[in-house]
Amino acid sequence: MKYRELGASGLKVSLIGLGTMTWGEQNSEAQAHAQLDFAVAQGVNFIDAAEMYPVPPRAETQGRTEQYIGTWLKKRGGRERVILATKVTGPADFPWLRGGPRLSRAHVVQALDASLRRLQTGYVDLYQVHWPDRNTNYFGKLGYVEARDEDAAPVEETLGALADLVKAGKVRHAGVSNETPWGLGEYLRLAREKSWPRVVSIQNPYNLLNRSFEVGLAEFAHRERVPLIAYSPLAFGVLSGKYLGGAKPAGARLTLFSRFQRYTGAVAEGAARDYVELARRHGLDPAQMALAYVNSRTFVASTLVGATTLEQLQSDFSSEKLELSREVIDGIDAIHRRCSNPCP
């Protein structure tokens, strides 16, 4: 397994990180533990969770993912073997989560303490803001619209709370997620002016159907040493080709949950088909090609993969050893020029 620096944190994370958001919904506790055992045996040291997981978010299941990780840590020991990340939830209509989560100081502190109890650990290595409190574009929202957001917790308040948690030893490093260039710049400005800890990473979507990170944020990642933790590298599995032609594989995420529409539609399917055909022409597994491309980007610290079976996980991990030829990369870029970011 290859490892890359997590910004200026001093930590080195596995190029492939283990996503966990199916645990507690599509995966049982025993299956989650089996995935963790397998991942660690393959050299994976980066585990990413969130207080709201599993998805889809429901009151009945909220926190199960962290609970499963916590029981695994208690059984296996060796907390120092893994770099453990989790997230505090941004504003959402989740009344079961602190009456409706926000990113105020009180919410951030309460959220972390609850996560630590579920994870059965005294600290997390990376604590991330899952999405912004202010009005902005994330989760595929297009067309920026100015809106009054006086109720939003200022970035200064959120980062100040994170700084205090770092000082208290409950958090080693802070990060952001689903963030914009302005938002990342604001976190960095405040850290510089107030001598607070800098965010060390940004976790945003990045895949062959959505390379929007390259415009604006990739330069931040490079020049400010705030690398990308890439989520949805397979675009909810669409880039594997398993949904082409209207297929609905049993037990697959898009089959089970109609709410996941970001990577669906005629334009998305057309682009996905082109990428799948390119991979097959070169004798490559489409999913591994898609992952290998993300792995190859220098602004990426870790590519998060999630799976419901160990067979899927093993295939995804194998992408770490795949180096794409110049011809394949040129083919990918040709498709991208023809159909740029169909699913931003």
Side-chain angles (χ1 to χ4, degrees):
M1 179 62 63
K2 299 182 183 73
Y3 300 86
R4 290 184 180 170
E5 291 184 355
L6 188 65
S9 69
L11 300 176
K12 288 191 174 183
V13 294
S14 48
L15 179 55
I16 302 293
L18 185 60
T20 63
M21 70 180 186
T22 62
W23 300 356
E25 182 66 53
Q26 290 175 264
N27 288 104
S28 68
E29 184 174 25
Q31 290 170 333
H33 288 188
Q35 287 195 22
L36 283 160
D37 288 339
F38 179 75
V40 170
Q42 301 300 308
V44 171
N45 71 347
F46 185 53
I47 315 297
D48 180 74
E51 65 164 340
M52 64 165 273
Y53 289 171
V55 296
R58 297 188 293 128
E60 297 83 1
T61 58
Q62 184 266 319
R64 275 189 193 166
T65 300
E66 290 182 328
Q67 289 171 2
Y68 290 179
I69 296 170
T71 54
W72 179 79
L73 286 171
K74 185 175 182 179
K75 285 182 179 179
R76 302 293 188 268
R79 168 68 179 85
E80 70 285 350
R81 295 180 301 164
V82 296
I83 295 172
L84 184 57
T86 195
K87 311 179 196 76
V88 55
T89 308
D93 186 20
F94 300 161
W96 60 86
L97 197 56
R98 295 183 297 283
R102 300 306 295 257
L103 295 175
S104 65
R105 173 180 295 275
H107 275 257
V108 171
V109 172
Q110 290 172 34
L112 178 68
D113 285 343
S115 287
L116 293 177
R117 287 193 295 272
R118 288 188 292 266
L119 291 165
Q120 300 192 50
T121 183
Y123 69 97
V124 291
D125 299 286
L126 178 65
Y127 197 42
Q128 303 158 104
V129 176
H130 208 156
W131 60 84
D133 206 328
R134 68 189 187 278
N135 171 66
T136 189
N137 292 44
Y138 50 86
F139 296 146
K141 178 183 176 183
L142 299 176
Y144 181 76
V145 177
E146 292 185 27
R148 300 170 69 89
D149 52 8
E150 292 93 340
D151 292 339
V155 171
E156 181 173 354
E157 181 176 354
T158 304
L159 184 58
L162 293 171
D164 286 346
L165 293 172
V166 170
K167 186 176 181 180
K170 294 181 177 182
V171 169
R172 293 181 71 188
H173 303 283
V176 293
S177 181
N178 297 295
E179 199 39 284
T180 67
W182 182 89
L184 179 56
E186 186 72 353
Y187 274 96
L188 294 172
R189 179 187 69 81
L190 287 165
R192 183 171 59 251
E193 292 180 358
K194 295 182 173 294
S195 299
W196 285 343
R198 297 173 90 250
V199 295
V200 299
S201 61
I202 175 170
Q203 184 177 148
N204 275 29
Y206 185 71
N207 55 64
L208 295 178
L209 299 180
N210 178 7
R211 291 169 55 179
S212 56
F213 186 87
E214 296 172 0
V215 183
L217 281 167
E219 184 176 12
F220 262 110
H222 164 62
R223 298 188 186 280
E224 294 287 349
R225 295 186 69 191
V226 184
L228 173 64
I229 298 170
Y231 80 78
S232 291
L234 291 177
F236 294 168
V238 169
L239 288 166
S240 71
K242 65 183 178 182
Y243 297 110
L244 291 179
K248 297 286 187 181
R253 185 185 311 170
L254 299 189
T255 303
L256 294 173
F257 308 116
S258 60
R259 73 191 300 271
F260 295 114
Q261 298 294 318
R262 187 171 188 173
Y263 298 104
T264 61
V267 177
E269 179 164 350
R273 181 180 293 106
D274 289 345
Y275 287 119
V276 168
E277 290 176 353
L278 172 68
R280 289 173 176 164
R281 283 199 303 273
H282 290 273
L284 299 173
D285 175 87
Q288 289 189 12
M289 182 192 80
L291 291 171
Y293 185 82
V294 177
N295 296 342
S296 71
R297 304 299 89 183
T298 56
F299 52 78
V300 171
S302 188
T303 303
L304 293 177
V305 300
T308 54
T309 69
L310 289 178
E311 291 74 22
Q312 287 177 315
L313 209 57
Q314 184 167 24
S315 178
D316 290 349
F317 288 172
S318 297
S319 70
E320 183 259 348
K321 297 180 174 63
L322 177 61
E323 294 190 12
L324 301 178
S325 68
R326 184 72 258 170
E327 187 177 4
V328 171
I329 292 177
D330 288 345
I332 288 172
D333 286 340
I335 297 169
H336 180 59
R337 285 192 297 272
R338 189 165 66 246
C339 188
S340 301
N341 300 323
C343 307

